[in-house]
Amino acid sequence: MRTTTPLPYLIKISFVIFVLLFTNLAYPYSEDDKKTEAYYYYLLAINEKDPVQAENYIKKAIKCDPKSLYLKKTLISLYLENGELNKAETLCKKLLESYPKDREFNLFLAKVYILQNRPLKATSVLEKYLEFYPEDENILSLLVNLYLDQKDWDSALINIEKLLKINENNYAAWIFKARILKEQKKIKEAKEAYLKALNLSPENKTILIEVLKFLDENSDTEEIENLLKSYVAKYPEDQDFIRLLLSFYIEKADWEKTEKILKEYLENNKRSPELLFFLGY
């Protein structure tokens, strides 16, 4: 099957080639000319389907514009995309010798180690980067996830505390803290962290369910009842909270409280067959 190249694309490429040839014949390359040629090879690379040829084009572009970090990052991305992790690692390490504070080079190297199943190396790279930028929340979050995957609770907790120091209202950090404290069997501290997360994101029902499950596992029925009653009072139109409270009372066989809540709610919401079923039950 014959393939055709769109005419506008051919015209653009032909024009670039003409300019390059004319410039080369007329006078020696200036720095701008080299950057123009680099951009030409870059365009060829990003439109090339053969990974080997694409790599060659990017390398030619870098040769024309050796100071361009963007082109070098493009080459690393190409290596990662094609699964050439050793090449990516070698190039990242070489570049980090000159640019140790570059965020993307550090992230690239960490990603290489993650893909190579070398989490300790990945965490080492990120910890070293954080020495330069200790308040980079995204990097801290990535580091926390790596430590959680390794079940290194103490290291994860240390970095969560750093996140909370930057932003004490980070509810996700409080959730992670609660989960770690739960794993460490520190029930009282875990409960405080869970309730803090819930207080910061009260309408997040996923967090509420997790907190209720934690409280149930620890037989903290008083806290469950108080929590659900506060939600029903705060969000009287939300039937999810009514159902949760009713289910709690039914499970405890507290029929008197169940009946009272249902009758009060049904006075203002007569067309609720599901709640009528609860009352009938």
Side-chain angles (χ1 to χ4, degrees), residues 96 99-103 106 125-136:
L96 282 170
Y99 308 98
K101 299 181 182 180
D102 189 283
R103 189 175 192 272
N106 280 282
V125 169
L126 297 177
E127 291 276 15
K128 191 172 181 180
Y129 169 79
L130 286 168
E131 292 177 7
F132 300 115
Y133 302 104
E135 296 194 354
D136 190 322

Side-chain angles (χ1 to χ4, degrees), residues 50-64:
D50 181 359
V52 175
Q53 190 59 49
E55 179 184 345
N56 290 334
Y57 284 140
I58 289 293
K59 285 181 175 178
K60 287 181 179 180
I62 293 171
K63 188 175 180 180
C64 294

Side-chain angles (χ1 to χ4, degrees), residues 243 245-260 262-263 266 272-281:
R243 291 190 195 99
L245 183 56
L246 289 172
S247 297
F248 170 74
Y249 284 141
I250 289 172
E251 185 179 342
K252 302 301 177 186
D254 194 333
W255 309 117
E256 185 178 344
K257 288 183 179 178
T258 306
E259 182 182 3
K260 181 182 177 183
L262 279 168
K263 285 182 175 179
L266 286 168
S272 294
E274 184 179 351
L275 296 183
L276 282 169
F277 172 81
F278 269 112
L279 184 59
Y281 179 79

Side-chain angles (χ1 to χ4, degrees), residues 134-138 140-141 144 157-177 193 196-197 200-201:
E135 296 194 354
D136 190 322
E137 292 188 61
N138 289 329
L140 275 169
S141 298
V144 166
L157 200 54
I158 288 170
N159 285 283
I160 285 172
E161 293 295 352
K162 291 178 183 178
L163 278 171
L164 291 172
K165 190 174 180 181
I166 297 168
N167 178 12
E168 65 178 357
N169 294 324
N170 186 335
Y171 77 89
W174 282 107
I175 278 290
F176 281 128
K177 182 176 180 178
K196 180 70 174 180
L200 290 169
S201 186

Side-chain angles (χ1 to χ4, degrees), residues 171 197-209 231 234-235 238 240-241:
Y171 77 89
L198 194 58
N199 183 56
L200 290 169
S201 186
E203 297 184 8
N204 191 320
K205 293 179 182 178
T206 302
I207 294 178
L208 174 61
I209 296 300
Y231 265 85
K234 189 174 182 180
Y235 305 100
D238 194 323
D240 286 340
F241 300 131

Side-chain angles (χ1 to χ4, degrees), residues 216-228:
D216 184 57
E217 288 170 354
N218 292 281
S219 303
D220 196 340
T221 55
E222 184 180 353
E223 188 67 54
I224 293 174
E225 182 178 7
N226 292 335
L227 193 58
L228 289 174

Side-chain angles (χ1 to χ4, degrees), residues 92-106:
C92 283
K93 290 167 75 173
K94 181 180 178 181
L95 289 166
L96 282 170
E97 291 176 3
S98 302
Y99 308 98
K101 299 181 182 180
D102 189 283
R103 189 175 192 272
E104 288 182 270
F105 288 146
N106 280 282

